[in-house]
Amino acid sequence: MDPSTDAAPTDPATDPASAEAAAVAERLFGAVLGTVDLLSVFLGDRLGWYRSLADDGPATAPQLAERTGTDARYAREWLEQQTVTGLLRLDSDGAPDARVFSIPPGTAEILTDPHSLDLHAPIARMFGAIGAALPQLLDAYRTGGGVSWDDLGDDAREGQSDVNRPWFEHRLADALAGVADLHERLARPGARVLDVGSGGGWSSIALGRAYPGATVHGIDIDAPSVAMATENARAAGVEDRVRFSHGDAAHLPAGQYDAAFAFECVHDMPRPVEVLAAVRQSLAPGAPLIVMDEAVAEAFAPDGDDVERLMYGYSIFICLPDGRSSRPSAATGTVLRPSLLREYGAAAGFSAFEVLPIEDFASFRFYRLKEAGTS
């Protein structure tokens, strides 16, 4: 071999392509570690291990397994992994099955408190649900088909419901109270409120609690979600004013509601214009539709922020496949930009569109759609 033609190893310090490859490799290795953390959180959440450590106190692997009806050897491996990754603490070292582990208060809040605004366990549940659906997703990406929320199952369904619950519980009332004319409308005795795509019901329940003189009707096309919402309303003690039904907006009564809401669901709808038009027909004169959807940028850009990255993640694995699980489909995806929602609203007959002055509500933006000239 001619030594002069023998390529020398590239130096990342001087070769841009090599430096870029090193940066990508480092980033993806971090993503691997993050994936391991997320899926291990899925295990700890679904098997009740975090909850047991938080409620019952520190434990050895055999103790944790006995408390939760699980296998001690798997519990030990998980406890060690969680400690190495920094989510749990080792309180007492010793023989493998004699080591005592505990959950720090911060971890307990993030992974076990259903009322915490920083709750993250449901997100792990949602992405964990994707695993079983990967063969269906691959087929959908090849054929243009879809994968519905029902296909993803209870882990995704409950995860979606639970991750938004704290924001509805703690922040929705104040957010709506900050929009004076909307608050006044909702506070009228006997106000009739519609919640389209009500899911697990926490938005409807929050509306019912914030406005005790109102009645709230939640509607959803997913029957298990309606059952879940009905039980949640009963447990919250508002079932006399907050009710749920299974169906689509096409069967809503005309001219009945004083306000309607669509919380984080328009981007999932296969036929959003038709649904929005049906909601418009169900509203009393002058009544608004309030849409809460993702606070993405006005337009696509390659340097999108973390919100864009997360929403595209939800879109490629959950929302876009769900939107395409019924035909015909607008195939909106999670990244519903304001201009597209404005188009949907106009096509549905809403001639007025505005962004409401509600900020710092997770990663959401609130819009008001109504017919121009109405009060």
Side-chain angles (χ1 to χ4, degrees), residues 77-162:
E77 200 75 3
W78 179 83
L79 286 164
E80 291 179 1
Q81 182 271 337
Q82 291 284 281
T83 303
V84 169
T85 205
L87 292 176
L88 298 183
R89 289 180 183 149
L90 178 65
D91 287 357
S92 177
D93 204 353
D97 281 342
R99 294 175 184 139
V100 178
F101 300 87
S102 66
I103 186 168
T107 304
E109 177 187 344
I110 300 303
L111 297 178
T112 69
D113 183 356
H115 309 289
S116 172
L117 292 173
D118 292 319
L119 182 67
H120 274 62
I123 299 175
R125 227 175 293 158
M126 292 174 67
F127 280 100
I130 294 167
L134 282 175
Q136 291 172 271
L137 284 166
L138 287 172
D139 183 66
Y141 269 72
R142 292 186 177 110
T143 64
V147 179
S148 69
W149 279 96
D150 197 46
D151 293 328
L152 291 172
D154 286 344
D155 282 330
R157 181 183 289 116
E158 294 172 10
Q160 168 69 15
S161 174
D162 290 349

Side-chain angles (χ1 to χ4, degrees), residues 6-211:
D6 190 13
T10 57
D11 180 1
T14 59
D15 181 67
S18 180
E20 181 182 24
V24 172
E26 182 177 1
R27 174 176 174 169
L28 291 183
F29 180 68
V32 169
L33 295 178
T35 301
V36 171
D37 281 347
L38 196 67
L39 294 180
S40 68
V41 166
F42 174 84
L43 289 175
D45 174 46
R46 291 320 249 172
L47 293 171
W49 286 339
Y50 292 123
R51 172 62 61 189
S52 179
L53 290 169
D55 291 350
D56 306 321
T60 63
Q63 289 169 340
L64 184 62
E66 183 177 3
R67 289 177 190 172
T68 56
T70 55
D71 180 80
R73 180 64 186 89
Y74 282 121
R76 189 179 94 200
E77 200 75 3
W78 179 83
L79 286 164
E80 291 179 1
Q81 182 271 337
Q82 291 284 281
T83 303
V84 169
T85 205
L87 292 176
L88 298 183
R89 289 180 183 149
L90 178 65
D91 287 357
S92 177
D93 204 353
D97 281 342
R99 294 175 184 139
V100 178
F101 300 87
S102 66
I103 186 168
T107 304
E109 177 187 344
I110 300 303
L111 297 178
T112 69
D113 183 356
H115 309 289
S116 172
L117 292 173
D118 292 319
L119 182 67
H120 274 62
I123 299 175
R125 227 175 293 158
M126 292 174 67
F127 280 100
I130 294 167
L134 282 175
Q136 291 172 271
L137 284 166
L138 287 172
D139 183 66
Y141 269 72
R142 292 186 177 110
T143 64
V147 179
S148 69
W149 279 96
D150 197 46
D151 293 328
L152 291 172
D154 286 344
D155 282 330
R157 181 183 289 116
E158 294 172 10
Q160 168 69 15
S161 174
D162 290 349
V163 75
N164 287 338
R165 173 185 177 180
W167 289 91
F168 293 140
E169 286 183 336
H170 297 306
R171 295 289 179 85
L172 185 61
D174 288 343
L176 298 179
V179 184
D181 60 332
L182 176 61
H183 173 68
E184 186 275 332
R185 172 178 287 274
L186 294 169
R188 294 173 188 169
R192 301 156 299 176
V193 181
L194 173 67
D195 187 1
V196 180
S198 49
W202 296 116
S203 53
S204 301
I205 291 167
L207 288 167
R209 284 174 165 166
Y211 300 99

